[in-house]
Amino acid sequence: MTQSINLPKLDDFLQELATIQQQGSKRIAFLGSRHVPLTHQLLIELLSYALALSGNSIITSGATGTNFAAIRGALRADPNLLTVILPQSLDRQPYESREQLENVIHLIEHSENDTLSLAEASSRCNQEIISKCQQLICFAFHGSETLLQTCHDAEEQRKVVTLFYFD
């Protein structure tokens, strides 16, 4: 009886090892669910803060939950190291996000996506974010289709992906 073992290719391991061992700053993307318990948000904020404090650039989107926590952490460490890419215009963001987004120096809006559904605009935004990062840190549920597809796409682009599940 033979059984196939699905092992990553050697070049995948080498790429991941090179990224992990890289000296100096990296471009790290944070993406995740909007539905995040407060304790988890505090941990995400702390992680973002520590990574930005270490000189890493943080890239995220503007939604509540995970992204909101990542923004708070990076703003506390160094606002110049934070880039927020919105899936639609600032006016289309939740009210509670807009106030915080006003403090973001590097804010990219996509008003051309205002006519799209939030899911479609978010998917496009996530693709832009992963194209700009070296590593993706994602916080999702097993049913978070858009986020899981984004992680898969990032792996296809040979990015280091760290995926945390809430469930």
Side-chain angles (χ1 to χ4, degrees):
M1 173 189 250
T2 61
Q3 187 174 14
S4 165
I5 299 175
N6 207 5
L7 293 175
K9 297 180 213 150
L10 181 59
D11 57 336
D12 292 342
F13 282 126
L14 294 176
Q15 175 69 28
E16 192 165 327
L17 181 61
T19 301
I20 291 168
Q21 291 180 329
Q22 174 187 340
Q23 297 296 322
S25 63
K26 297 180 198 119
R27 293 177 314 278
I28 301 174
F30 276 78
L31 292 174
S33 176
R34 290 173 173 80
H35 311 289
V36 183
L38 182 58
T39 55
H40 291 78
Q41 287 183 39
L42 294 174
L43 290 171
I44 295 166
E45 180 180 344
L46 183 60
L47 179 58
S48 174
Y49 173 75
L51 288 169
L53 206 56
S54 301
N56 295 290
S57 296
I58 305 300
I59 307 166
T60 192
S61 190
T64 57
T66 299
N67 301 342
F68 195 79
I71 292 168
R72 266 194 325 261
L75 283 175
R76 243 183 354 133
D78 186 344
N80 285 308
L81 293 176
L82 173 65
T83 300
V84 176
I85 302 173
L86 301 178
Q88 297 172 318
S89 65
L90 183 60
D91 293 341
R92 301 282 309 240
Q93 302 309 303
Y95 176 75
E96 58 272 13
S97 296
R98 278 188 257 155
E99 186 175 340
Q100 179 173 267
L101 292 170
E102 290 174 2
N103 298 315
V104 174
I105 298 168
H106 308 287
L107 181 68
I108 300 168
E109 295 181 61
H110 284 291
S111 57
E112 70 276 11
N113 293 338
D114 283 355
T115 58
L116 300 176
S117 70
L118 180 57
E120 178 61 27
S122 294
S123 181
R124 289 182 183 190
C125 180
N126 290 353
Q127 293 305 313
E128 181 178 353
I129 289 170
I130 62 172
S131 75
K132 296 180 182 300
C133 75
Q134 295 168 288
Q135 180 175 359
L136 169 63
I137 300 174
C138 186
F139 299 86
F141 293 94
H142 282 86
S144 303
E145 293 177 23
T146 302
L147 290 170
L148 297 179
Q149 182 61 50
T150 299
C151 289
H152 177 74
D153 294 344
E155 288 171 340
E156 290 287 316
Q157 293 178 35
R158 311 191 54 77
K159 310 290 179 165
V160 174
V161 176
T162 305
L163 175 58
F164 295 98
Y165 287 102
F166 291 122
D167 56 357

